[in-house]
Amino acid sequence: EAERLVWKETSDKSFAVSCINPTMVFGPCFAKHHTKASPYIFRQALYGNPIPNMMFPIVDVRDVARAHVEALLHPEARGKRFIIDADGSNAMTVNDLLQK
């Protein structure tokens, strides 16, 4: 729904936009309140607590930032959407590694 709103609100503007759509984002946190979001899942696993038995793709926050910069630098990205995903890693794979 957010992406539809972006396209609607910018359709008559003098600038172009690109939509960056990441999967579940993980990576370094810059502020304490960020630790309440996606890192929570891995913190639970580190403490030995169960995490949801779900498969969901993950991507590093630095890759998402890089995608934003690339979209700004390349005019051919205007008006397009980009799904940002990693190499096939997912949260359950990381959880399995943490449990070992």
Side-chain angles (χ1 to χ4, degrees):
E1 190 63 30
E3 184 180 342
R4 285 188 191 135
L5 183 61
V6 167
W7 298 128
K8 177 183 172 197
E9 295 297 321
T10 60
S11 64
D12 61 347
K13 303 293 187 224
S14 62
F15 56 87
V17 297
S18 299
C19 284
I20 306 295
N21 298 299
T23 56
M24 181 72 114
V25 180
F26 290 104
C29 297
F30 291 126
K32 185 173 179 158
H33 66 274
H34 292 157
T35 63
K36 301 289 186 205
S38 52
Y40 172 80
I41 294 170
F42 291 116
R43 188 171 60 243
Q44 292 303 307
L46 284 170
Y47 292 141
N49 299 325
I51 65 169
N53 187 17
M54 301 181 332
M55 298 286 286
F56 45 88
I58 59 175
V59 65
D60 191 297
V61 67
R62 293 162 288 203
D63 293 331
V64 176
R66 190 173 301 112
H68 280 86
V69 171
E70 291 294 324
L72 287 169
L73 295 176
H74 292 88
E76 62 271 18
R78 293 178 184 157
K80 294 182 180 171
R81 67 191 313 246
F82 298 93
I83 307 297
I84 311 302
D85 191 14
D87 61 359
S89 299
N90 62 62
M92 291 307 293
T93 302
V94 175
N95 180 57
D96 293 344
L97 290 171
L98 290 173
Q99 296 304 318
K100 290 181 182 179

